Amino acid sequence: MNPDKKRSVLIFILLLGFAAITVLWGQALAVSKDGIRVWNWNSWLILLAGLPFILIQKEAGLPELYDSTVTNQHRFWQPLLIGFLFAIPDVIIVGFLMHPEPYTTLPPFLQPFPYSLSLYSSGGLEIEIFYRLIPITLLLWLISEKILKGKHREIVFWSVAILTAIREPLEQWPSGSIGFIVYATASGFAMNLWQAYQYRKAGFLGALMIRYGHYLIWHILFGIYIEFFVLH
């Protein structure tokens, strides 16, 4: 196992360890607080399904999770900024324009800080394992590398990217006006498609950082604003 792959496996294990802390923290917090979203150990165990796919990133034509040829700008800072840019309109439109009345409780998509940091970091990891890591790696490895022997990589990649990008908007189909449905669906599809592109460009961490950038604004900083500046 080369150094990049060893480092990638270690980072993935550390991410799993952080998710395990979320399970313990949520269960302890729920004893004294109402409305806490709690992970159980079954939710944590299914994250282990991603580990075999971390081992075959190069074999699928993708960068390693932490690839020495990828700069930190492309792995961390650029994707975080992209996530911010997708989150800010969500806060303006959903958080304020569609909710003009003052908040009297935390809305259901927010959780108390600092638990929100742990919960949404772990939740983002879960989504990226099952929306990106497993399906993209499996399909590229099977179709592009094994069946087609490296031919038509661009066509295969973009076909897989589009199919995986449409999943989240369809599973979280919004309600409301036609305008909002168009905005939410288009925004969700665009972010997921960009994540697929960032995955191929910078590895799994690149895709994950877009999700983390979005969640940092939408779930965490917006939650801090509601919890500490509106409700108190």
CSV table of all heavy atoms in Angstrom, one decimal, residues 91-152:
chain,number,residue,atom,x,y,z
A,91,VAL,N,-29.9,30.4,2.7
A,91,VAL,CA,-30.2,31.2,3.9
A,91,VAL,C,-31.1,32.4,3.6
A,91,VAL,O,-32.1,32.6,4.3
A,91,VAL,CB,-28.9,31.6,4.6
A,91,VAL,CG1,-29.2,32.6,5.8
A,91,VAL,CG2,-28.1,30.4,5.1
A,92,ILE,N,-30.8,33.1,2.6
A,92,ILE,CA,-31.6,34.3,2.2
A,92,ILE,C,-33.0,33.9,1.9
A,92,ILE,O,-34.0,34.5,2.4
A,92,ILE,CB,-30.9,35.1,1.1
A,92,ILE,CG1,-29.6,35.6,1.6
A,92,ILE,CG2,-31.8,36.2,0.6
A,92,ILE,CD1,-28.7,36.2,0.5
A,93,ILE,N,-33.2,32.9,1.0
A,93,ILE,CA,-34.5,32.6,0.5
A,93,ILE,C,-35.3,31.8,1.5
A,93,ILE,O,-36.4,32.2,1.8
A,93,ILE,CB,-34.3,31.8,-0.9
A,93,ILE,CG1,-33.7,32.7,-1.9
A,93,ILE,CG2,-35.7,31.2,-1.3
A,93,ILE,CD1,-33.3,31.9,-3.2
A,94,VAL,N,-34.7,30.7,2.0
A,94,VAL,CA,-35.5,29.8,2.9
A,94,VAL,C,-35.5,30.3,4.3
A,94,VAL,O,-36.5,30.3,5.0
A,94,VAL,CB,-34.9,28.4,2.9
A,94,VAL,CG1,-35.7,27.5,3.8
A,94,VAL,CG2,-34.9,27.8,1.4
A,95,GLY,N,-34.4,30.8,4.8
A,95,GLY,CA,-34.2,31.2,6.2
A,95,GLY,C,-34.9,32.5,6.5
A,95,GLY,O,-35.4,32.7,7.6
A,96,PHE,N,-35.0,33.4,5.5
A,96,PHE,CA,-35.5,34.8,5.7
A,96,PHE,C,-36.7,35.1,4.9
A,96,PHE,O,-37.8,35.4,5.4
A,96,PHE,CB,-34.4,35.8,5.5
A,96,PHE,CG,-33.3,35.8,6.6
A,96,PHE,CD1,-32.1,35.3,6.3
A,96,PHE,CD2,-33.6,36.2,7.9
A,96,PHE,CE1,-31.1,35.2,7.2
A,96,PHE,CE2,-32.6,36.1,8.9
A,96,PHE,CZ,-31.3,35.6,8.5
A,97,LEU,N,-36.6,35.1,3.6
A,97,LEU,CA,-37.7,35.5,2.7
A,97,LEU,C,-38.9,34.6,2.9
A,97,LEU,O,-40.1,35.1,2.8
A,97,LEU,CB,-37.2,35.5,1.2
A,97,LEU,CG,-36.2,36.5,0.9
A,97,LEU,CD1,-35.8,36.4,-0.6
A,97,LEU,CD2,-36.6,37.9,1.3
A,98,MET,N,-38.7,33.3,3.0
A,98,MET,CA,-39.8,32.4,3.2
A,98,MET,C,-40.3,32.2,4.7
A,98,MET,O,-41.2,31.5,5.0
A,98,MET,CB,-39.5,31.0,2.6
A,98,MET,CG,-39.3,31.0,1.1
A,98,MET,SD,-38.9,29.4,0.4
A,98,MET,CE,-40.4,28.5,0.7
A,99,HIS,N,-39.6,32.9,5.6
A,99,HIS,CA,-39.9,32.8,7.0
A,99,HIS,C,-39.8,34.2,7.6
A,99,HIS,O,-38.9,34.5,8.4
A,99,HIS,CB,-39.0,31.9,7.7
A,99,HIS,CG,-39.5,31.4,9.1
A,99,HIS,ND1,-39.6,32.2,10.1
A,99,HIS,CD2,-40.0,30.2,9.5
A,99,HIS,CE1,-40.0,31.6,11.2
A,99,HIS,NE2,-40.3,30.3,10.8
A,100,PRO,N,-40.6,35.2,7.2
A,100,PRO,CA,-40.5,36.6,7.6
A,100,PRO,C,-40.8,36.8,9.1
A,100,PRO,O,-40.3,37.7,9.7
A,100,PRO,CB,-41.5,37.3,6.7
A,100,PRO,CG,-42.5,36.3,6.3
A,100,PRO,CD,-41.8,35.0,6.2
A,101,GLU,N,-41.6,35.9,9.7
A,101,GLU,CA,-42.0,36.1,11.1
A,101,GLU,C,-40.8,35.6,12.0
A,101,GLU,O,-40.0,34.8,11.6
A,101,GLU,CB,-43.2,35.2,11.4
A,101,GLU,CG,-43.1,33.7,11.3
A,101,GLU,CD,-43.3,33.2,9.9
A,101,GLU,OE1,-43.4,34.0,9.0
A,101,GLU,OE2,-43.4,32.0,9.8
A,102,PRO,N,-40.6,36.2,13.2
A,102,PRO,CA,-39.5,35.9,14.0
A,102,PRO,C,-39.5,34.4,14.4
A,102,PRO,O,-40.6,33.8,14.6
A,102,PRO,CB,-39.7,36.8,15.3
A,102,PRO,CG,-40.6,37.8,14.8
A,102,PRO,CD,-41.5,37.3,13.7
A,103,TYR,N,-38.4,33.8,14.5
A,103,TYR,CA,-38.2,32.4,15.0
A,103,TYR,C,-38.5,32.4,16.5
A,103,TYR,O,-38.0,33.2,17.3
A,103,TYR,CB,-36.9,31.8,14.7
A,103,TYR,CG,-36.6,31.6,13.2
A,103,TYR,CD1,-36.1,32.5,12.4
A,103,TYR,CD2,-37.0,30.3,12.7
A,103,TYR,CE1,-35.8,32.2,11.0
A,103,TYR,CE2,-36.7,30.0,11.4
A,103,TYR,CZ,-36.2,31.0,10.5
A,103,TYR,OH,-36.0,30.7,9.2
A,104,THR,N,-39.3,31.4,16.9
A,104,THR,CA,-39.6,31.2,18.4
A,104,THR,C,-38.9,29.9,18.9
A,104,THR,O,-38.7,29.8,20.1
A,104,THR,CB,-41.1,31.1,18.6
A,104,THR,OG1,-41.7,30.1,17.8
A,104,THR,CG2,-41.7,32.5,18.3
A,105,THR,N,-38.5,29.0,18.0
A,105,THR,CA,-37.7,27.8,18.3
A,105,THR,C,-36.8,27.6,17.2
A,105,THR,O,-36.9,28.1,16.1
A,105,THR,CB,-38.7,26.6,18.5
A,105,THR,OG1,-39.4,26.4,17.2
A,105,THR,CG2,-39.7,26.8,19.6
A,106,LEU,N,-35.8,26.7,17.4
A,106,LEU,CA,-34.9,26.3,16.3
A,106,LEU,C,-35.8,25.5,15.3
A,106,LEU,O,-36.5,24.5,15.7
A,106,LEU,CB,-33.8,25.4,16.9
A,106,LEU,CG,-32.6,26.0,17.5
A,106,LEU,CD1,-31.6,25.0,18.0
A,106,LEU,CD2,-31.9,26.9,16.5
A,107,PRO,N,-35.7,25.8,14.1
A,107,PRO,CA,-36.4,25.0,13.0
A,107,PRO,C,-35.8,23.6,13.0
A,107,PRO,O,-34.7,23.4,13.4
A,107,PRO,CB,-36.2,25.8,11.7
A,107,PRO,CG,-35.0,26.7,12.0
A,107,PRO,CD,-35.0,27.0,13.5
A,108,PRO,N,-36.6,22.7,12.4
A,108,PRO,CA,-36.2,21.3,12.4
A,108,PRO,C,-34.9,21.0,11.7
A,108,PRO,O,-34.3,19.9,11.9
A,108,PRO,CB,-37.4,20.5,11.7
A,108,PRO,CG,-38.1,21.6,11.0
A,108,PRO,CD,-37.9,22.9,11.8
A,109,PHE,N,-34.4,21.9,10.8
A,109,PHE,CA,-33.2,21.6,10.1
A,109,PHE,C,-32.0,22.1,10.8
A,109,PHE,O,-30.8,22.1,10.3
A,109,PHE,CB,-33.2,22.2,8.7
A,109,PHE,CG,-33.5,23.6,8.6
A,109,PHE,CD1,-32.5,24.6,8.7
A,109,PHE,CD2,-34.8,24.1,8.4
A,109,PHE,CE1,-32.8,25.9,8.6
A,109,PHE,CE2,-35.1,25.4,8.3
A,109,PHE,CZ,-34.1,26.4,8.4
A,110,LEU,N,-32.1,22.6,12.1
A,110,LEU,CA,-31.0,23.1,12.9
A,110,LEU,C,-31.0,22.4,14.2
A,110,LEU,O,-32.0,21.8,14.7
A,110,LEU,CB,-31.2,24.6,13.1
A,110,LEU,CG,-31.3,25.5,11.9
A,110,LEU,CD1,-31.5,27.0,12.3
A,110,LEU,CD2,-30.0,25.4,11.1
A,111,GLN,N,-29.8,22.4,14.8
A,111,GLN,CA,-29.6,21.8,16.1
A,111,GLN,C,-28.8,22.7,17.0
A,111,GLN,O,-28.1,23.6,16.5
A,111,GLN,CB,-28.9,20.4,15.9
A,111,GLN,CG,-29.7,19.3,15.4
A,111,GLN,CD,-30.7,18.7,16.4
A,111,GLN,OE1,-30.4,17.9,17.2
A,111,GLN,NE2,-32.0,19.2,16.3
A,112,PRO,N,-28.8,22.5,18.3
A,112,PRO,CA,-28.0,23.4,19.2
A,112,PRO,C,-26.5,23.3,18.9
A,112,PRO,O,-26.0,22.2,18.6
A,112,PRO,CB,-28.4,22.8,20.6
A,112,PRO,CG,-29.6,22.0,20.4
A,112,PRO,CD,-29.6,21.5,19.1
A,113,PHE,N,-25.9,24.5,19.0
A,113,PHE,CA,-24.4,24.5,18.9
A,113,PHE,C,-23.8,24.2,20.3
A,113,PHE,O,-24.4,24.7,21.3
A,113,PHE,CB,-24.0,25.9,18.4
A,113,PHE,CG,-22.6,26.1,18.2
A,113,PHE,CD1,-22.0,25.7,17.1
A,113,PHE,CD2,-21.8,26.7,19.2
A,113,PHE,CE1,-20.6,25.9,16.9
A,113,PHE,CE2,-20.4,26.9,19.1
A,113,PHE,CZ,-19.8,26.5,17.9
A,114,PRO,N,-22.7,23.5,20.4
A,114,PRO,CA,-21.8,23.1,19.3
A,114,PRO,C,-22.1,21.6,18.8
A,114,PRO,O,-21.4,21.1,18.0
A,114,PRO,CB,-20.4,23.1,20.1
A,114,PRO,CG,-20.8,22.7,21.5
A,114,PRO,CD,-22.1,23.4,21.7
A,115,TYR,N,-23.2,21.0,19.4
A,115,TYR,CA,-23.5,19.7,18.9
A,115,TYR,C,-23.8,19.7,17.4
A,115,TYR,O,-23.5,18.7,16.7
A,115,TYR,CB,-24.8,19.2,19.6
A,115,TYR,CG,-25.3,17.8,19.1
A,115,TYR,CD1,-24.5,16.7,19.2
A,115,TYR,CD2,-26.5,17.7,18.6
A,115,TYR,CE1,-24.9,15.5,18.7
A,115,TYR,CE2,-27.0,16.5,18.1
A,115,TYR,CZ,-26.2,15.4,18.2
A,115,TYR,OH,-26.7,14.1,17.8
A,116,SER,N,-24.3,20.8,16.8
A,116,SER,CA,-24.5,20.9,15.4
A,116,SER,C,-23.3,20.7,14.6
A,116,SER,O,-23.3,20.1,13.5
A,116,SER,CB,-25.1,22.3,15.1
A,116,SER,OG,-24.2,23.3,15.5
A,117,LEU,N,-22.1,21.1,15.1
A,117,LEU,CA,-20.9,20.9,14.4
A,117,LEU,C,-20.6,19.4,14.1
A,117,LEU,O,-20.3,18.9,13.0
A,117,LEU,CB,-19.7,21.5,15.1
A,117,LEU,CG,-19.3,22.9,15.0
A,117,LEU,CD1,-18.3,23.3,16.0
A,117,LEU,CD2,-18.8,23.2,13.5
A,118,SER,N,-20.8,18.6,15.2
A,118,SER,CA,-20.6,17.2,15.1
A,118,SER,C,-21.6,16.5,14.3
A,118,SER,O,-21.3,15.6,13.4
A,118,SER,CB,-20.6,16.6,16.6
A,118,SER,OG,-20.3,15.2,16.6
A,119,LEU,N,-22.9,16.8,14.5
A,119,LEU,CA,-24.0,16.1,13.9
A,119,LEU,C,-23.9,16.3,12.3
A,119,LEU,O,-24.0,15.4,11.6
A,119,LEU,CB,-25.3,16.6,14.4
A,119,LEU,CG,-26.6,16.0,13.7
A,119,LEU,CD1,-26.7,14.5,14.0
A,119,LEU,CD2,-27.8,16.8,14.1
A,120,TYR,N,-23.8,17.6,11.9
A,120,TYR,CA,-23.8,17.8,10.5
A,120,TYR,C,-22.5,17.5,9.8
A,120,TYR,O,-22.6,17.2,8.6
A,120,TYR,CB,-24.2,19.3,10.2
A,120,TYR,CG,-25.7,19.5,10.6
A,120,TYR,CD1,-26.0,20.4,11.7
A,120,TYR,CD2,-26.7,18.9,10.0
A,120,TYR,CE1,-27.3,20.6,12.1
A,120,TYR,CE2,-28.0,19.1,10.3
A,120,TYR,CZ,-28.3,19.9,11.4
A,120,TYR,OH,-29.6,20.1,11.8
A,121,SER,N,-21.4,17.5,10.5
A,121,SER,CA,-20.2,16.9,9.9
A,121,SER,C,-20.4,15.4,9.6
A,121,SER,O,-20.0,14.9,8.6
A,121,SER,CB,-19.0,17.2,10.8
A,121,SER,OG,-18.8,18.5,11.0
A,122,SER,N,-20.9,14.7,10.6
A,122,SER,CA,-21.1,13.3,10.4
A,122,SER,C,-22.2,13.0,9.4
A,122,SER,O,-22.1,12.1,8.6
A,122,SER,CB,-21.5,12.6,11.8
A,122,SER,OG,-20.5,12.9,12.7
A,123,GLY,N,-23.3,13.8,9.4
A,123,GLY,CA,-24.3,13.6,8.4
A,123,GLY,C,-23.8,13.9,7.0
A,123,GLY,O,-24.2,13.2,6.1
A,124,GLY,N,-23.0,14.9,6.9
A,124,GLY,CA,-22.4,15.2,5.6
A,124,GLY,C,-21.5,14.0,5.1
A,124,GLY,O,-21.5,13.7,3.9
A,125,LEU,N,-20.8,13.4,6.0
A,125,LEU,CA,-20.0,12.3,5.6
A,125,LEU,C,-20.9,11.1,5.1
A,125,LEU,O,-20.5,10.5,4.1
A,125,LEU,CB,-19.1,11.8,6.8
A,125,LEU,CG,-18.3,10.6,6.6
A,125,LEU,CD1,-17.2,10.8,5.6
A,125,LEU,CD2,-17.7,10.1,7.9
A,126,GLU,N,-21.9,10.9,5.8
A,126,GLU,CA,-22.8,9.8,5.4
A,126,GLU,C,-23.4,10.0,4.0
A,126,GLU,O,-23.4,9.1,3.2
A,126,GLU,CB,-24.0,9.7,6.4
A,126,GLU,CG,-25.0,8.6,6.1
A,126,GLU,CD,-26.2,8.5,7.0
A,126,GLU,OE1,-26.5,9.6,7.6
A,126,GLU,OE2,-26.8,7.5,7.1
A,127,ILE,N,-23.8,11.2,3.8
A,127,ILE,CA,-24.4,11.5,2.5
A,127,ILE,C,-23.4,11.4,1.4
A,127,ILE,O,-23.6,10.8,0.3
A,127,ILE,CB,-25.0,13.0,2.4
A,127,ILE,CG1,-26.3,13.0,3.2
A,127,ILE,CG2,-25.2,13.5,1.0
A,127,ILE,CD1,-26.8,14.4,3.4
A,128,GLU,N,-22.2,11.9,1.6
A,128,GLU,CA,-21.1,11.8,0.6
A,128,GLU,C,-20.7,10.3,0.3
A,128,GLU,O,-20.3,10.0,-0.8
A,128,GLU,CB,-20.0,12.7,0.9
A,128,GLU,CG,-20.3,14.2,0.8
A,128,GLU,CD,-21.0,14.5,-0.5
A,128,GLU,OE1,-20.4,14.1,-1.6
A,128,GLU,OE2,-22.0,15.1,-0.5
A,129,ILE,N,-20.7,9.5,1.4
A,129,ILE,CA,-20.3,8.1,1.2
A,129,ILE,C,-21.3,7.4,0.2
A,129,ILE,O,-20.9,6.7,-0.7
A,129,ILE,CB,-20.3,7.4,2.5
A,129,ILE,CG1,-19.0,7.8,3.3
A,129,ILE,CG2,-20.3,5.8,2.3
A,129,ILE,CD1,-18.9,7.2,4.7
A,130,PHE,N,-22.6,7.7,0.4
A,130,PHE,CA,-23.6,7.0,-0.3
A,130,PHE,C,-24.1,7.7,-1.6
A,130,PHE,O,-24.7,7.0,-2.5
A,130,PHE,CB,-24.8,6.6,0.6
A,130,PHE,CG,-24.5,5.6,1.6
A,130,PHE,CD1,-24.2,6.0,2.9
A,130,PHE,CD2,-24.4,4.3,1.3
A,130,PHE,CE1,-23.8,5.0,3.9
A,130,PHE,CE2,-24.0,3.3,2.2
A,130,PHE,CZ,-23.7,3.7,3.5
A,131,TYR,N,-23.9,9.0,-1.7
A,131,TYR,CA,-24.2,9.7,-2.9
A,131,TYR,C,-23.0,9.8,-3.9
A,131,TYR,O,-23.2,10.0,-5.1
A,131,TYR,CB,-24.7,11.1,-2.6
A,131,TYR,CG,-26.1,11.2,-2.0
A,131,TYR,CD1,-26.7,10.2,-1.3
A,131,TYR,CD2,-26.8,12.4,-2.2
A,131,TYR,CE1,-28.0,10.3,-0.8
A,131,TYR,CE2,-28.1,12.5,-1.7
A,131,TYR,CZ,-28.7,11.5,-1.0
A,131,TYR,OH,-30.0,11.6,-0.5
A,132,ARG,N,-21.8,9.8,-3.4
A,132,ARG,CA,-20.6,10.0,-4.2
A,132,ARG,C,-19.7,8.8,-4.1
A,132,ARG,O,-19.4,8.2,-5.1
A,132,ARG,CB,-19.9,11.3,-3.7
A,132,ARG,CG,-19.6,12.2,-4.8
A,132,ARG,CD,-20.7,13.1,-5.3
A,132,ARG,NE,-21.4,13.7,-4.2
A,132,ARG,CZ,-22.6,14.2,-4.3
A,132,ARG,NH1,-23.3,14.1,-5.4
A,132,ARG,NH2,-23.2,14.7,-3.2
A,133,LEU,N,-19.1,8.6,-3.0
A,133,LEU,CA,-18.0,7.6,-2.9
A,133,LEU,C,-18.3,6.2,-3.4
A,133,LEU,O,-17.7,5.7,-4.3
A,133,LEU,CB,-17.6,7.5,-1.4
A,133,LEU,CG,-16.5,6.4,-1.1
A,133,LEU,CD1,-15.2,6.8,-1.8
A,133,LEU,CD2,-16.3,6.3,0.4
A,134,ILE,N,-19.4,5.6,-2.9
A,134,ILE,CA,-19.7,4.3,-3.4
A,134,ILE,C,-20.2,4.2,-4.8
A,134,ILE,O,-19.7,3.5,-5.6
A,134,ILE,CB,-20.7,3.6,-2.4
A,134,ILE,CG1,-20.1,3.4,-1.0
A,134,ILE,CG2,-21.3,2.3,-3.0
A,134,ILE,CD1,-21.0,2.8,0.0
A,135,PRO,N,-21.3,5.0,-5.2
A,135,PRO,CA,-21.8,4.8,-6.6
A,135,PRO,C,-20.8,5.2,-7.7
A,135,PRO,O,-20.6,4.6,-8.7
A,135,PRO,CB,-23.0,5.7,-6.6
A,135,PRO,CG,-22.9,6.6,-5.5
A,135,PRO,CD,-22.1,5.9,-4.4
A,136,ILE,N,-20.1,6.4,-7.4
A,136,ILE,CA,-19.2,6.9,-8.5
A,136,ILE,C,-18.0,5.9,-8.6
A,136,ILE,O,-17.6,5.5,-9.7
A,136,ILE,CB,-18.7,8.3,-8.2
A,136,ILE,CG1,-19.9,9.3,-8.4
A,136,ILE,CG2,-17.6,8.7,-9.1
A,136,ILE,CD1,-19.6,10.7,-8.2
A,137,THR,N,-17.4,5.5,-7.5
A,137,THR,CA,-16.3,4.6,-7.5
A,137,THR,C,-16.6,3.3,-8.2
A,137,THR,O,-15.9,2.8,-9.0
A,137,THR,CB,-15.7,4.4,-6.1
A,137,THR,OG1,-15.3,5.6,-5.5
A,137,THR,CG2,-14.5,3.4,-6.2
A,138,LEU,N,-17.8,2.7,-7.7
A,138,LEU,CA,-18.2,1.4,-8.2
A,138,LEU,C,-18.4,1.5,-9.7
A,138,LEU,O,-18.0,0.6,-10.5
A,138,LEU,CB,-19.4,1.0,-7.5
A,138,LEU,CG,-20.0,-0.4,-7.9
A,138,LEU,CD1,-19.0,-1.5,-7.7
A,138,LEU,CD2,-21.3,-0.7,-7.2
A,139,LEU,N,-19.2,2.5,-10.2
A,139,LEU,CA,-19.6,2.5,-11.6
A,139,LEU,C,-18.4,2.8,-12.5
A,139,LEU,O,-18.2,2.2,-13.6
A,139,LEU,CB,-20.7,3.5,-11.8
A,139,LEU,CG,-22.0,3.1,-11.2
A,139,LEU,CD1,-23.0,4.3,-11.3
A,139,LEU,CD2,-22.6,1.9,-11.9
A,140,LEU,N,-17.5,3.7,-12.0
A,140,LEU,CA,-16.3,4.0,-12.9
A,140,LEU,C,-15.4,2.8,-12.9
A,140,LEU,O,-14.8,2.5,-14.0
A,140,LEU,CB,-15.6,5.3,-12.3
A,140,LEU,CG,-16.3,6.6,-12.4
A,140,LEU,CD1,-15.3,7.7,-11.9
A,140,LEU,CD2,-16.7,6.9,-13.9
A,141,TRP,N,-15.2,2.2,-11.8
A,141,TRP,CA,-14.3,1.0,-11.7
A,141,TRP,C,-14.8,-0.1,-12.6
A,141,TRP,O,-14.1,-0.7,-13.4
A,141,TRP,CB,-14.1,0.5,-10.3
A,141,TRP,CG,-13.4,-0.7,-10.1
A,141,TRP,CD1,-12.0,-0.9,-10.2
A,141,TRP,CD2,-13.9,-2.0,-9.9
A,141,TRP,NE1,-11.6,-2.2,-10.0
A,141,TRP,CE2,-12.8,-2.9,-9.8
A,141,TRP,CE3,-15.2,-2.5,-9.8
A,141,TRP,CZ2,-13.0,-4.3,-9.6
A,141,TRP,CZ3,-15.3,-3.9,-9.6
A,141,TRP,CH2,-14.2,-4.8,-9.5
A,142,LEU,N,-16.2,-0.4,-12.5
A,142,LEU,CA,-16.8,-1.5,-13.2
A,142,LEU,C,-16.9,-1.2,-14.7
A,142,LEU,O,-16.5,-2.0,-15.5
A,142,LEU,CB,-18.1,-1.8,-12.6
A,142,LEU,CG,-18.9,-3.0,-13.2
A,142,LEU,CD1,-18.1,-4.3,-13.0
A,142,LEU,CD2,-20.3,-3.1,-12.6
A,143,ILE,N,-17.5,-0.1,-15.0
A,143,ILE,CA,-17.8,0.2,-16.4
A,143,ILE,C,-16.6,0.8,-17.2
A,143,ILE,O,-16.2,0.2,-18.2
A,143,ILE,CB,-19.0,1.2,-16.5
A,143,ILE,CG1,-20.3,0.6,-15.9
A,143,ILE,CG2,-19.3,1.6,-18.0
A,143,ILE,CD1,-21.4,1.6,-15.8
A,144,SER,N,-16.0,1.8,-16.7
A,144,SER,CA,-15.0,2.5,-17.4
A,144,SER,C,-13.7,1.7,-17.4
A,144,SER,O,-13.0,1.6,-18.5
A,144,SER,CB,-14.7,3.9,-16.8
A,144,SER,OG,-13.8,4.6,-17.5
A,145,GLU,N,-13.3,1.1,-16.3
A,145,GLU,CA,-12.0,0.5,-16.2
A,145,GLU,C,-12.0,-1.0,-16.5
A,145,GLU,O,-11.1,-1.5,-17.2
A,145,GLU,CB,-11.4,0.7,-14.8
A,145,GLU,CG,-11.2,2.2,-14.4
A,145,GLU,CD,-10.4,3.0,-15.4
A,145,GLU,OE1,-9.4,2.4,-15.9
A,145,GLU,OE2,-10.8,4.1,-15.6
A,146,LYS,N,-13.1,-1.7,-16.1
A,146,LYS,CA,-13.1,-3.1,-16.3
A,146,LYS,C,-13.8,-3.5,-17.6
A,146,LYS,O,-13.2,-4.3,-18.4
A,146,LYS,CB,-13.8,-3.8,-15.1
A,146,LYS,CG,-13.1,-3.7,-13.8
A,146,LYS,CD,-11.7,-4.4,-13.8
A,146,LYS,CE,-11.0,-4.3,-12.5
A,146,LYS,NZ,-9.6,-4.8,-12.6
A,147,ILE,N,-15.0,-3.0,-17.8
A,147,ILE,CA,-15.7,-3.4,-19.0
A,147,ILE,C,-15.2,-2.7,-20.3
A,147,ILE,O,-14.9,-3.4,-21.3
A,147,ILE,CB,-17.2,-3.1,-18.9
A,147,ILE,CG1,-17.8,-4.0,-17.7
A,147,ILE,CG2,-18.0,-3.4,-20.2
A,147,ILE,CD1,-19.2,-3.7,-17.4
A,148,LEU,N,-15.0,-1.4,-20.2
A,148,LEU,CA,-14.5,-0.6,-21.4
A,148,LEU,C,-13.0,-0.5,-21.5
A,148,LEU,O,-12.5,0.1,-22.4
A,148,LEU,CB,-15.2,0.7,-21.4
A,148,LEU,CG,-16.7,0.7,-21.5
A,148,LEU,CD1,-17.3,2.2,-21.5
A,148,LEU,CD2,-17.2,0.0,-22.8
A,149,LYS,N,-12.3,-1.0,-20.5
A,149,LYS,CA,-10.8,-1.0,-20.5
A,149,LYS,C,-10.2,0.4,-20.7
A,149,LYS,O,-9.3,0.6,-21.4
A,149,LYS,CB,-10.3,-1.9,-21.6
A,149,LYS,CG,-10.8,-3.3,-21.6
A,149,LYS,CD,-10.4,-4.1,-20.3
A,149,LYS,CE,-10.9,-5.5,-20.3
A,149,LYS,NZ,-10.6,-6.2,-19.0
A,150,GLY,N,-10.9,1.4,-20.0
A,150,GLY,CA,-10.3,2.8,-20.1
A,150,GLY,C,-10.9,3.6,-21.2
A,150,GLY,O,-10.5,4.8,-21.3
A,151,LYS,N,-11.7,3.0,-22.1
A,151,LYS,CA,-12.2,3.8,-23.2
A,151,LYS,C,-13.4,4.6,-22.7
A,151,LYS,O,-14.1,4.2,-21.8
A,151,LYS,CB,-12.6,2.9,-24.3
A,151,LYS,CG,-11.5,2.1,-24.9
A,151,LYS,CD,-12.0,1.1,-26.0
A,151,LYS,CE,-10.9,0.3,-26.6
A,151,LYS,NZ,-11.4,-0.7,-27.6
A,152,HIS,N,-13.6,5.7,-23.4
A,152,HIS,CA,-14.8,6.6,-23.2
A,152,HIS,C,-14.9,7.0,-21.8
A,152,HIS,O,-16.0,7.1,-21.2
A,152,HIS,CB,-16.1,5.8,-23.7
A,152,HIS,CG,-16.0,5.2,-25.0
A,152,HIS,ND1,-15.8,6.0,-26.2
A,152,HIS,CD2,-16.1,4.0,-25.5
A,152,HIS,CE1,-15.8,5.2,-27.2
A,152,HIS,NE2,-15.9,4.0,-26.8
